[in-house]
Amino acid sequence: LFMVVNIAACVYSALSLILVIGNRCDLAVINLDLIILSLLCYANGAAASVFVLGDNVYGNSHKQWEKVCNLFGSYCSHTATSIFSSMSAALLFISLLARAAQRLHRKCL
């Protein structure tokens, strides 16, 4: 889910960039931006929760999960990097969304 949502957000961002360059920034694009942003935040939260479960000192004794980082050394570093990158992209997406909304507001006045 995490990877699929990030790929969809990347493809949508490229298409949205083409629309914005063509001065076709309207309310529909902003609504689609909000949908993609909510999916990104959902996927980031889900991935971060799995990462915390794997990085936890004791794991999850109810599910008989041991700490994963001890077994797979690169798991934690790759997962932390991907989650950090995706959250950074979501923050940039928020700033782009705010810029598009501001531009639409000026256009309507």
Side-chain angles (χ1 to χ4, degrees):
L1 176 69
F2 179 72
M3 188 174 71
V4 171
V5 169
N6 278 298
I7 291 170
C10 183
V11 169
Y12 173 74
S13 294
L15 294 174
S16 179
L17 178 66
I18 293 169
L19 290 174
V20 169
I21 289 174
N23 285 332
R24 300 201 193 285
C25 181
D26 59 348
L27 192 57
V29 172
I30 292 175
N31 287 335
L32 289 173
D33 285 349
L34 284 171
I35 291 170
I36 292 293
L37 180 63
S38 64
L39 287 173
L40 266 176
C41 290
Y42 169 73
N44 286 336
S49 68
V50 170
F51 174 71
V52 167
L53 183 63
D55 192 37
N56 193 2
V57 175
Y58 300 110
N60 187 350
S61 60
H62 299 292
K63 301 292 181 190
Q64 303 215 346
W65 253 39
E66 298 299 322
K67 185 176 176 183
V68 176
C69 292
N70 290 341
L71 301 174
F72 305 104
S74 63
Y75 167 79
C76 287
S77 62
H78 288 124
T79 306
T81 303
S82 65
I83 291 172
F84 177 76
S85 298
S86 183
M87 286 186 181
S88 299
L91 289 175
L92 287 173
F93 212 90
I94 289 171
S95 66
L96 290 173
L97 181 62
R99 175 80 172 127
Q102 181 184 26
R103 190 171 170 191
L104 181 65
H105 180 70
R106 285 185 188 163
K107 193 178 193 180
C108 290
L109 293 179

